[in-house]
Amino acid sequence: MAKGRRDTFLLVLLCGNVVMLLAGVVLAPETGAGDRKDLSSMLQWLWGLVLNMSSAVVLAMVVNLLLLLRFVYTRRKNKLKEQTVYVNKDVACYKTSSQDILPPHLRIFYGTQTGTAKHFAELLHTAAQDRGLTSGVKDLAKVTDPEDTFTEEMEAGSVCVFILSTYTDGQPPEGAAWVCRWLEESSTDFRVSKTLLGKLKYAVFGLGSSEYGDNFNMASRKLEQWLQTLGAQGVFPRGEGDQNVAGSRHGSLEQDFAVWRDELLGAVMSCESQQEGCCKQESTESCQCKGNDNRQGEDEEVQYESSSEDGSLSDDDDSLVDVEDLGAVMNKMKQAKKQRQVEEEAARGGLRKITVKKKGGEPKEMITPALKKALEKQGYRLIGSHSGVKLCRWTKSMLRGRGGCYKHTFYGIESHRCMETTPSLACANKCVFCWRHHTNPVGTEWRWKMDDPQAILDGAMKNHYNLIKQFKGVPGVKPERLAEAMDVQHCALSLVGEPIMYPQINTFVQLLHSHRISSFLVTNAQFPDAIRNMDPVTQLYVSVDASTKDSLKKIDRPLFRDFWPRFLDSLKALSEKGQRTVYRLTLVKAWNVDEIENYAQLVEIGKPDFIEVKGVTYCGESKASNLSMANIPWHEEVVNFVQQLADQLPAYEIAAEHEHSNCVLLANTKFKKGSEWWTWIDYQKFHQLIADYTDSGGDKMFSAEDYMAKTPSWAVFGSREQGFDPQETRWYRKNRKDISGC
């Protein structure tokens, strides 16, 4: 029975029973109680009246009560149904009663070079208001923090319309470059969730000319791809305006936009106002507000794990394979897999030295075409055949005066003048918390073509400076910081892979020092001989991700069969170095936070100058790792762990903390003069010492105490600033826990 008919039937039945009840009262005989002025006599009269009524009247009273309860319940249930939010897979549409319909809010963003996109944005704004919609217009050049801006729009439930022109060589206009760069980097960064913009509803219109061939509307196409990768929901197919009259679908650029504008507004109005139509949960096939052919997610990055020089993808950039060739392709994949297993088993057992060679006899390149494509999509700038460079998020942060990384707090580096690179993308581990989700190759020894160290350094600096130059004109970037960033002072050899695997790592580090660039080298404690043979660096790290054989195997997943003896021998080799040494501990809740006594025993083996303890960085979901947000410790938990560890180590105390990257520093008390800590580095003194060492052929050795500097009060543990430089401006991310790392 229909809802309206059911309500009418209940109401008529209720009224009929009320009439019957009144008739029963009128026809009921008098009880003889004439005086009914007080409460007692009134109750006696009512009781007598009930006793003298017929059973039919009493039954009518009971039925009336049940019908009344049923009527009230039905009305309330129907009212709640009218306020239900129906969400289809492409766009959220709010279905309310006709009296409660609220017009949707449009936020119109534009990026323009000549003013045409701005003009179109104003036309859309006027047309939306004429239809009773609320809207606002904003220039992308004025968006200083895209994440905060889009978060606010998601919270407001706005439909964000992007009107973007294509400038030179398929690039966005200069004013929109920063927002587009942020979207691109976020969409390719494993540390950024692919649901970052999951509640953002959007539509895109691009302006361009088909005379430019493949670059026609390239900026708007890329913009939509980045939005989709970050989970945004398209509410209407992307529109393309063509300035070339011959190629225009509707005869002109203006008419292309006018048609798209009217259809967009019609779809938005239809989605918001229909009561029984497109957005009903049980019927979405004909919804007018379906987004862009339901292509969301088709272009999402494919995460894969590579375990050899061939990777797990084909060398051919074309992923399409003819059916007739499938048999040959499968055989090739099986042979490659078998060869990898043989090579890794041989390397683990130390049976023989393996060198992968091409048919002509030359070693293969580490970076295959497929691997190159995957790494470049993640934002790497590749150098030669086995090296890479990438801009650290803290470099970007300090360019804008928003604070530096933990190395700035602990050791005094200038984060905006630091280059993060590696001369070897290959690694001997497959750590569960790897930022790169194992898209880089793995191996147990060098078996690839080797590039010249000078060429690697030149390529790294060139690519790094090109990345820095892209921040010219970006809102918030300080000009003086940008100028300083063009003179690199520090190099973090910790980007990805195992830098110490590169056979000419000593030459590469010497070249860094010759340019007066300090060196921070990180190794995964699987190459003890390479550590012993390593020339002095500014600071040498060993990653100590676990304290027992079983937990190290579970967390680092090393390739070497004798990984535990190698690990312990690497710690012994570290204790033999004369310069600054560091243990780097990464805490993973439910994995390695309960091994304090075992960690203390490892400290006695390597005797590091410093122990950095950092909460694991969440890298997003991946088939390569089952870590989740539940495995990320809070800063208070990290501090508590370090305090317990310090209680086991009489020669160490907590020296500093960097709260906003969840990191705490334990230091040997030899770096404490009286009550003052001296954990910072005198970089000028270091370069003088390393020059003397080089000139003497290695005879003039120096120690960590020879180039230490005083730690500022704001960096010391327990300070009010918690390691944040007071000269910087603290920037808080809205409604989100900062889970990023360095």
Side-chain angles (χ1 to χ4, degrees), residues 410-411 580 610 655 665 667 671 677-681 709-711:
F410 295 171
Y411 315 120
R580 294 166 67 108
F610 305 97
L665 180 69
F671 293 93
W677 282 106
W678 286 60
T679 65
W680 275 35
I681 296 173
K710 183 180 177 181
T711 310

Side-chain angles (χ1 to χ4, degrees), residues 193-211:
S193 171
K194 293 303 177 283
T195 59
L196 177 67
L197 302 181
K199 295 182 180 180
L200 183 72
K201 295 176 287 183
Y202 77 90
V204 176
F205 184 84
L207 294 76
S209 174
S210 57
E211 293 180 341

Side-chain angles (χ1 to χ4, degrees), residues 7-295:
D7 290 348
T8 303
F9 174 76
L10 290 174
L11 186 59
V12 171
L13 192 60
L14 179 61
C15 292
N17 278 279
V18 169
V19 173
M20 186 184 296
L21 177 62
L22 292 175
V25 172
V26 172
L27 297 176
E30 272 290 345
T31 60
D35 188 6
R36 297 187 292 274
K37 295 181 180 180
D38 58 352
L39 180 62
S40 177
S41 61
M42 179 65 72
L43 292 174
Q44 291 178 3
W45 177 80
L46 289 173
W47 178 247
L49 183 64
V50 172
L51 292 177
N52 285 278
M53 285 182 183
S54 63
S55 58
V57 175
V58 175
L59 179 62
M61 293 175 62
V62 175
V63 172
N64 279 346
L65 180 61
L66 294 176
L67 288 173
L68 182 63
L69 292 174
R70 173 68 177 175
F71 184 74
V72 173
Y73 169 76
T74 303
R75 294 286 292 178
R76 173 169 291 186
K77 184 178 180 181
N78 291 337
K79 186 175 182 180
L80 288 174
K81 280 185 176 181
E82 291 176 351
Q83 297 175 351
T84 302
V85 177
Y86 297 106
V87 183
N88 69 22
K89 66 194 298 182
D90 299 293
V91 59
C93 301
Y94 297 83
K95 177 174 165 45
T96 64
S97 63
S98 58
Q99 295 179 349
D100 297 329
I101 294 176
L102 296 176
H105 180 75
L106 296 184
R107 173 64 69 183
I108 306 167
F109 294 97
Y110 68 87
T112 186
Q113 195 70 32
T114 62
T116 305
K118 178 181 179 182
H119 175 60
F120 283 178
E122 292 170 346
L123 290 177
L124 177 59
H125 171 64
T126 302
Q129 289 188 325
D130 290 344
R131 295 181 181 230
L133 303 176
T134 58
S135 67
V137 179
K138 189 165 187 177
D139 188 352
L140 287 173
K142 296 181 180 179
V143 177
T144 58
D145 195 301
E147 183 173 353
D148 284 352
T149 298
F150 295 147
T151 298
E152 291 174 357
E153 299 303 335
M154 287 190 288
E155 293 173 350
S158 305
V159 175
C160 294
V161 181
F162 297 88
I163 302 177
L164 187 67
S165 62
T166 297
Y167 194 40
T168 307
D169 297 328
Q171 298 301 311
E174 294 177 356
W178 164 239
V179 173
C180 290
R181 189 178 309 130
W182 178 86
L183 285 170
E184 180 182 14
E185 292 178 353
S186 298
S187 67
T188 58
D189 194 332
F190 278 128
R191 294 165 291 181
V192 178
S193 171
K194 293 303 177 283
T195 59
L196 177 67
L197 302 181
K199 295 182 180 180
L200 183 72
K201 295 176 287 183
Y202 77 90
V204 176
F205 184 84
L207 294 76
S209 174
S210 57
E211 293 180 341
Y212 289 98
D214 293 339
N215 286 332
F216 174 54
N217 272 314
M218 178 65 73
S220 64
R221 293 204 302 269
K222 287 184 176 180
L223 174 68
E224 182 172 51
Q225 178 183 335
W226 299 327
L227 289 170
Q228 289 177 348
T229 302
L230 294 172
Q233 307 172 37
V235 302
F236 196 70
R238 177 173 53 85
E240 292 188 343
D242 193 348
Q243 199 170 22
N244 178 19
V245 177
S248 172
R249 183 174 299 180
H250 300 95
S252 68
L253 176 65
E254 292 75 12
Q255 192 61 27
D256 288 341
F257 174 73
V259 172
W260 181 85
R261 175 198 63 198
D262 294 340
E263 292 178 351
L264 168 68
L265 293 177
V268 172
M269 291 291 291
S270 174
C271 181
E272 293 292 336
S273 62
Q274 288 189 16
Q275 294 300 300
E276 301 289 339
C278 68
C279 295
K280 288 189 67 175
Q281 195 173 19
E282 58 268 23
S283 178
T284 61
E285 289 82 357
S286 60
C287 179
Q288 295 182 20
C289 54
K290 286 189 75 172
N292 206 12
D293 302 323
N294 193 26
R295 293 180 298 172

Side-chain angles (χ1 to χ4, degrees), residues 501-532:
M501 282 183 69
Y502 177 49
Q504 297 194 48
I505 183 64
N506 276 328
T507 304
F508 183 77
V509 170
Q510 291 168 8
L511 290 171
L512 287 173
H513 295 161
S514 68
H515 286 77
R516 300 186 69 80
I517 298 175
S518 62
S519 52
F520 293 79
L521 176 64
V522 180
T523 176
N524 291 318
Q526 289 296 295
F527 298 92
D529 291 339
I531 294 176
R532 288 189 173 91

Side-chain angles (χ1 to χ4, degrees), residues 651-662:
Y652 295 83
E653 295 179 11
I654 302 180
E657 68 176 328
H658 192 250
E659 185 266 343
H660 51 304
S661 64
N662 205 8

